Amino acid sequence: MNRYPRDLTGYGANPPSANWPNGAKIAVQIVLNYEEGGENNILHGDAASEAFLSEITGAQPWPGQRHWNMESIYEYGARAGFWRVHRLLSDMPITVYGVATALARAPEQVAAMKASNWEIASHGLKWIEHKDMSEDEERAQIADAIRLHVEATGDVPRGWYTGRCSNNTVRLVAETGQFDYVADSYADDLPYWEQYEERDQLIVPYTMDCNDMRFGIQAGFTNGDQFESYLKDSFDTLYEEGCAGAPKMLSIGLHCRLIGRPGRIAALRRVIEHFKSHEGVWFATRLQIAQHWTQENPPVTQQRPSAMDLETFVSEFGGIFEHSPWIAEGAHAQELGPTHDTAQGVHQMLARIFRAAPEDKRLGVLTAHPDLAGKLAAAKRLTAESTAEQASVGLDELTDEERENFTKLNNDYTTKFGFPFIIAVRDNTKASIMAAFERRISNDRATEFGEACRQVERIAELRLQEKFSA
């Protein structure tokens, strides 16, 4: 089967209710990345020095050499930056993304994290790229990261974030079956579920925009005011959405060596004060958010159209376009994926097959539709869908005069165009259907053929909406 794995739909226009505790309008989640001592370094067995997220613009790896300046920048994060951040946030619920080898080299900092009841999630074994690792190598690193994390902190990590991940990372982490959440995603403002084999894994998305990493890249923040302004605007927008009834989550990413500098920490202090000046703000760890979401919005098991075999797909959707299973067969062969596992997603694929078909095939779909209030309806030989649709506006309870009018219009229309009059009944009333009948019969055939095709597509859309909401 031709399948596209990415989900470009997500929650769409109607996200689930977050129901944050105490009716909070927004959940604010602050992450402190602890990476110092876990970065690329030949002392750590790596091939070259670190080149990522530092004060050195355009830094490059030094193969086979230590980079003294880079090392000392990272050391600043552990020696000074961490403590400055800890003094500011020690009484708040913070999540630490802790690189296991860095935590093992930070006994004082780990003790401070635990004393503040901060959540310490796993940030992998080392702060290095995983994109070129084999599955076996990355799987082994995940296991080593968990083992060393427990040794360094005394606790099993409940959350995971690699950051410099591969396309296999989330699946491999989910396969362990031990994490309440994985954060290797930037795809949403709310948590969401992914399924790997038989396991439902909660994803609690992270952020790269509300992140002090932008102090370490060329297209980023150059001073604290920019960081402050961006975080405040992000908070205000999400808070407004929460007040309107759609609460979200604001993730903020910090790094000891970046935000811990004196010229930046002041901006963070002002941001926190801004957040605290509002009512209905829930400051939480990622684990608290994951546990809340699991309780409020547990995974829902349902058959996904993109995962159906051909027989099942045609059985489910072969009647959406009246008596035309070939449309469902054609749709199943297309590039379906998670983004098509909705009423609108299936409709788009079915409609594409219908629209691309030659005129004689589309005409066959039109002629498969029954007359409105015609002989088939009287004989109760309509499909279940057509029967319900016609009954919804009372076409099954016509007076003799109304039935006579419909019969005459049906005959005149079919004689002129060669196909029955088609209209999305659920969008109309008996009176508006009669008015459309009388108006459209004056069209030329090309115009009316196009209109009939549009009505067929609309009928299919309404049928799918009803099917998916059942």
Side-chain angles (χ1 to χ4, degrees), residues 5-288:
R6 299 169 64 199
D7 184 354
L8 301 178
T9 298
Y11 293 129
N14 300 295
S17 176
N19 290 324
W20 298 137
N22 301 314
K25 305 298 188 295
I26 187 173
V28 174
Q29 205 295 295
I30 300 174
V31 166
L32 179 63
N33 291 269
Y34 196 88
E35 300 157 349
E36 290 76 10
E39 78 278 14
N40 281 285
N41 192 315
I42 64 171
L43 293 176
H44 306 158
D46 302 308
S49 63
E50 186 57 70
F52 192 47
L53 292 187
S54 77
E55 307 294 335
I56 303 173
T57 302
Q60 297 296 314
W62 288 7
Q65 297 184 57
R66 294 175 63 185
H67 193 314
W68 192 264
N69 291 348
M70 182 65 72
E71 288 184 26
S72 64
I73 288 172
Y74 270 75
E75 288 162 11
Y76 183 92
R79 293 162 57 110
F82 170 82
W83 299 106
R84 186 168 285 119
V85 175
H86 186 264
R87 286 192 293 272
L88 177 62
L89 304 179
S90 61
D91 62 346
M92 296 183 66
I94 303 299
T95 292
V96 175
Y97 287 165
V99 173
T101 49
L103 296 174
R105 297 180 174 115
E108 298 290 340
Q109 294 90 336
V110 169
M113 297 171 194
K114 292 173 71 71
S116 291
N117 292 315
W118 288 358
E119 176 204 357
I120 309 178
S122 181
H123 197 5
L125 181 65
K126 301 167 69 174
W127 178 229
I128 60 176
E129 290 286 358
H130 292 67
K131 64 182 180 65
D132 297 321
M133 288 185 185
S134 67
E135 284 196 29
D136 287 343
E137 181 182 2
E138 188 170 11
R139 189 178 285 110
Q141 289 231 352
I142 291 169
D144 285 345
I146 296 169
R147 172 190 55 76
L148 185 55
H149 186 106
V150 174
E151 292 177 6
T153 70
D155 296 311
V156 176
R158 305 281 295 279
W160 180 280
Y161 175 74
T162 297
R164 299 161 85 170
C165 61
S166 75
N167 282 334
N168 300 316
T169 300
V170 177
R171 173 173 56 82
L172 294 175
V173 174
E175 284 176 1
T176 69
Q178 71 174 66
F179 289 96
D180 290 56
Y181 70 89
V182 177
D184 278 297
S185 170
Y186 315 96
D188 214 298
D189 298 311
L190 289 171
Y192 60 92
W193 294 94
E194 290 278 8
Q195 191 170 60
Y196 295 94
E197 299 298 334
E198 299 302 315
R199 175 172 175 76
D200 292 300
Q201 178 63 64
L202 184 64
I203 309 297
V204 181
Y206 187 45
T207 177
M208 283 190 175
D209 64 320
C210 294
N211 194 312
D212 68 358
M213 67 171 284
R214 302 186 71 82
F215 285 115
I217 61 176
Q218 288 182 318
F221 305 125
T222 58
N223 59 62
D225 288 347
Q226 293 175 338
F227 183 59
E228 176 186 356
S229 176
Y230 192 86
L231 262 61
K232 286 181 176 179
D233 283 348
S234 300
F235 174 89
D236 290 348
T237 297
L238 293 177
Y239 189 83
E240 181 180 345
E241 291 180 7
C243 290
K248 304 293 196 312
M249 175 182 71
L250 173 63
S251 288
I252 298 172
L254 307 174
H255 298 75
C256 302
R257 63 191 176 280
L258 297 175
I259 199 65
R261 293 284 176 175
R264 297 169 183 151
I265 197 75
L268 179 61
R269 180 180 294 108
R270 293 192 296 270
V271 165
I272 299 300
E273 291 170 353
H274 179 74
F275 295 170
K276 289 183 175 180
S277 70
H278 290 71
E279 297 287 339
V281 179
W282 181 38
F283 294 95
T285 66
R286 296 183 88 73
L287 181 58
Q288 289 172 326

Side-chain angles (χ1 to χ4, degrees), residues 38 139 261 381 403 419:
R139 189 178 285 110
R261 293 284 176 175
R381 291 172 54 196
R403 184 172 291 105
F419 49 85

Side-chain angles (χ1 to χ4, degrees), residues 344-398:
Q344 200 60 51
V346 174
H347 181 261
Q348 185 193 62
M349 277 305 186
L350 295 176
R352 282 179 57 186
I353 300 302
F354 175 64
R355 293 165 187 165
E359 183 172 323
D360 63 320
K361 294 280 281 184
R362 285 180 287 149
L363 178 60
V365 176
L366 301 189
T367 57
H369 276 259
D371 290 338
L372 289 181
K375 294 179 180 179
L376 289 179
K380 300 187 182 301
R381 291 172 54 196
L382 299 179
T383 64
E385 292 87 353
S386 291
T387 297
E389 287 158 2
Q390 295 203 22
S392 69
V393 291
L395 296 185
D396 60 338
E397 298 176 345
L398 297 177

